[in-house]
Amino acid sequence: MPTNESPASDDLRHARTFLFVPGHRPERFAKAAAAGADVVVVDLEDAVAPAQKAEARENARAWLAEGHRAVVRLNAPGTSWYEADLAAVGPHAAGVLVPKAEDPATLAAVAAALPAGSGVVPLLETAAGIANAIALCACPSVVRPAFGSVDLAAQLGVDHRSHEALRYARSTVVLAAAVAGRGAPVDGVTTALANEGALTTDLDHAVLLGFTGKLCIHPRQVEPSNRRFSPTDREVEWARGVLAADRDGSVAVYDGQMIDRPVVRRAQAILARR
């Protein structure tokens, strides 16, 4: 299936960290941009009270219009704010995060409102979104999906901190992205801000399942997440060795391991994440 290969969407495809900053707090925008995250997400949805939605929208529009680069999380399709959000920030954003994504037609409409090269990241955080994950990821505008653990857990009546309760849903998103030929997905937030162990455990679980990025809600989560989603020196050395052994495309051996096409693709993917 086709992928969006513009420089902007390519950045989104490989981003390790997406740091949220509330749209009604413009004094924090520059601090978020300097926090080391691969992507800043100006949030118009969950972080903003209804009475502040219009103010947050204008803050985001003005900051982007000045030339700053960010993704914007819109309010969900079907809300009274969604269309105004898209009209205001769509022409300026490097991409948009679409919450409660469930309908491919909605993602197509979002893409039509964005400038060429901007990407769409659907946030799969409802039962319907998980059930429609392949169709949503297959939309031409989609760069990669993100997983919304907190909202989905609330709908299912389970603890959003439970890896076991959400393992099937997470794996479904990973498989859907692969089926559609999109970038590997971005994992949901870790709400325990003062518990570094919880973040580490969440990151290890995400990597285990095939996620390559993290939604962050505090700057202190950025550096550990960037580090965990980057290949280690040992992985880089192994990948380079595999590619060096694969001189003519035939089956080879490196470090006692048979090297064939799937192993070569894994090595290439590791080096692409550097």
Side-chain angles (χ1 to χ4, degrees):
M1 294 184 182
T3 57
N4 188 337
E5 296 181 347
S6 72
S9 62
D10 193 55
D11 288 346
L12 294 181
R13 182 183 179 93
H14 297 292
R16 301 159 299 175
T17 45
F18 291 69
L19 176 62
F20 286 107
V21 58
H24 66 295
R25 300 296 300 273
E27 73 279 6
R28 295 186 181 179
F29 291 179
K31 294 179 181 178
D38 292 333
V39 175
V40 171
V41 181
V42 180
D43 190 12
L44 305 183
E45 194 207 18
D46 285 347
V48 181
Q52 297 172 304
K53 296 287 190 184
E55 175 190 355
R57 181 190 307 127
E58 174 54 25
N59 290 339
R61 186 207 63 76
W63 196 65
L64 293 169
E66 291 173 359
H68 300 288
R69 182 173 174 78
V71 165
V72 177
R73 177 162 70 169
L74 309 171
N75 283 285
T79 66
S80 59
W81 308 289
Y82 163 71
E83 291 186 0
D85 288 350
L86 186 57
V89 304
H92 307 287
V96 293
L97 190 64
V98 182
K100 312 295 190 301
E102 298 179 347
D103 184 359
T106 298
L107 298 184
V110 169
L114 300 178
S118 294
V120 174
V121 178
L123 186 53
L124 307 186
E125 55 183 343
T126 66
I130 299 300
N132 294 335
I134 292 177
L136 292 166
C137 290
C139 292
S141 57
V142 169
V143 177
R144 66 197 293 198
F147 179 66
S149 52
V150 178
D151 283 82
L152 179 63
Q155 183 181 8
L156 299 180
V158 300
D159 187 342
H160 71 272
R161 298 166 297 182
S162 170
H163 293 158
E164 187 60 30
L166 297 178
R167 184 184 298 268
Y168 171 79
R170 278 191 167 95
S171 293
T172 296
V173 176
V174 172
L175 287 168
V179 168
R182 301 304 184 241
V186 183
D187 196 25
V189 302
T190 295
T191 56
L193 296 180
N195 187 339
E196 186 175 342
L199 177 63
T200 298
T201 300
D202 284 353
L203 289 169
D204 288 345
H205 184 66
V207 170
L208 176 69
L209 294 185
F211 288 81
T212 59
K214 177 75 171 174
L215 300 177
C216 300
I217 54 175
H218 194 281
R220 71 167 65 107
Q221 297 178 332
V222 170
E223 192 277 331
S225 300
N226 278 339
R227 185 174 65 250
R228 189 63 183 88
F229 286 115
S230 299
T232 64
D233 292 342
R234 184 174 180 180
E235 288 174 324
V236 171
E237 180 183 2
W238 174 85
R240 286 174 173 165
V242 167
L243 297 184
D246 181 53
R247 294 186 181 90
D248 58 6
S250 60
V251 175
V253 175
Y254 174 71
D255 197 23
Q257 179 182 8
M258 184 186 75
I259 305 301
D260 58 5
R261 298 297 14 166
V263 175
V264 170
R265 287 197 296 270
R266 173 163 173 74
Q268 291 169 334
I270 287 172
L271 295 180
R273 288 167 41 217
R274 292 173 58 221

